[in-house]
Amino acid sequence: MGAPQAIVFFLILLQTCKTAAQHEEWNSATATYTKETNGSIIIEGACGYGDLHRATYGKYSAGLSTMLFNRGSTCGACFELRCVDHILWCRPGSPSVILTATDFCPPNYGLSSDYGGWCNFPKEHFEMSEAAFVEIAERRADLVPVQYRRVKCERRGGLRFTVSGSSHFYQVLVTNVGLDGEVIAVKVKGSKTGWIPMARNWGQNWQSNVNLTGQPLSFEVTTSNRKTLTSYNVAPANWQFGQTYEGKQF
């Protein structure tokens, strides 16, 4: 690892530790919004959630800059944002919104970090849906200063496991994760196997090469606060690829 890469890795690690230690403290960042036809972000995004309305995140979703995205491990985490220090753009009283990290806001080093390159490293930036943005700031604002902090995720229903792949490539998308929201480990168990650790494929998609066809499936999910939740027999023995199954909730 060269010196520049080492510095980038160290700064991301430092940000991860800071975020974990400062859940209740406000930190400074910036925010913009992306225009969508229905006012919310519904594209698949770098976390792999697909249609964000079906994934229950809807308009309260955000793309995060490199510093906050942390190579995808922050997917599913919840942030409270409020617009501050701008009398023209911020809503009176600085109301806040709760957002879920669902996408990556890529850097654009061809532009200044103050104009267009808002997600350039090491900037801390949130790209919001237009519908969520106008709850904290004026629509005509291009870029606003914000404060953010990590908060617990409030979810309805249990964890959701969407199965995809083939008989020898088994992938599970984990969504609707409460409390910390940030999944760091997943295990799967069939009726004929022990607990099998799954590898992160991308975002919150986790994979295994074990053939689990015809077996009821149980899942063990661990979040970044080191809490583990086990949901037994979530999917029946006749589970199908492309289906979503619901387990317990933190």
Side-chain angles (χ1 to χ4, degrees):
M1 181 182 293
Q5 292 84 357
I7 292 173
V8 169
F9 177 78
F10 173 76
L11 288 173
I12 291 176
L13 181 63
L14 183 64
Q15 172 64 24
T16 302
C17 294
K18 182 178 74 173
T19 301
Q22 298 182 350
H23 276 34
E24 301 304 323
E25 295 185 16
W26 292 100
N27 301 278
S28 297
T30 54
T32 51
Y33 69 88
T34 181
K35 292 184 178 179
E36 297 290 340
T37 55
N38 67 347
S40 64
I41 303 172
I42 59 172
I43 56 176
E44 183 167 324
C47 292
Y49 291 132
D51 186 328
L52 296 178
H53 291 291
R54 294 184 62 185
T56 73
Y57 304 137
K59 69 179 183 180
Y60 295 106
S61 307
L64 275 56
S65 61
T66 302
M67 195 69 176
L68 295 170
F69 191 66
N70 198 18
R71 300 182 179 181
S73 67
T74 311
C75 289
C78 293
F79 296 84
E80 183 178 9
L81 261 71
R82 63 186 183 187
C83 181
V84 295
D85 301 330
H86 205 301
I87 192 170
L88 293 178
W89 301 142
C90 296
R91 294 286 186 190
S94 293
S96 65
V97 294
I98 307 296
L99 305 175
T100 299
T102 60
D103 200 3
F104 173 56
C105 181
N108 185 348
Y109 294 115
L111 296 175
S112 165
S113 59
D114 295 324
Y115 188 80
W118 300 305
C119 292
N120 292 349
F121 187 85
K123 297 281 288 185
E124 297 181 15
H125 183 82
F126 294 83
E127 187 175 63
M128 305 169 61
S129 73
E130 182 178 0
F133 184 86
V134 297
E135 292 188 21
I136 64 170
E138 296 292 333
R139 180 178 281 104
R140 63 182 184 275
D142 290 330
L143 176 74
V144 295
V146 298
Q147 290 181 333
Y148 75 92
R149 61 183 176 184
R150 281 284 298 273
V151 294
K152 293 180 180 179
C153 299
E154 300 291 339
R155 306 294 187 207
R156 292 183 179 180
L159 273 64
R160 295 174 186 170
F161 304 90
T162 302
V163 185
S164 62
S166 62
S167 60
H168 296 290
F169 178 77
Y170 174 83
Q171 184 168 274
V172 174
L173 170 65
V174 185
T175 60
N176 204 47
V177 182
L179 292 184
D180 195 55
E182 184 179 341
V183 176
I184 62 170
V186 178
K187 294 181 181 179
V188 62
K189 182 183 182 301
S191 58
K192 301 176 183 178
T193 73
W195 286 105
I196 303 168
M198 304 187 77
R200 187 192 298 273
N201 186 310
W202 61 288
Q204 285 301 344
N205 284 281
W206 299 79
Q207 71 178 56
S208 171
N209 294 326
V210 177
N211 187 349
L212 297 169
T213 303
Q215 302 178 52
L217 304 178
S218 302
F219 294 97
E220 182 182 280
V221 175
T222 302
T223 57
S224 59
N225 59 4
R226 306 299 172 181
K227 290 187 177 180
T228 297
L229 179 69
T230 304
S231 297
Y232 290 100
N233 300 319
V234 171
N238 63 345
W239 59 266
Q240 300 290 320
F241 290 116
Q243 297 298 309
T244 299
Y245 303 94
E246 188 167 322
K248 296 180 180 179
Q249 184 59 268
F250 283 97

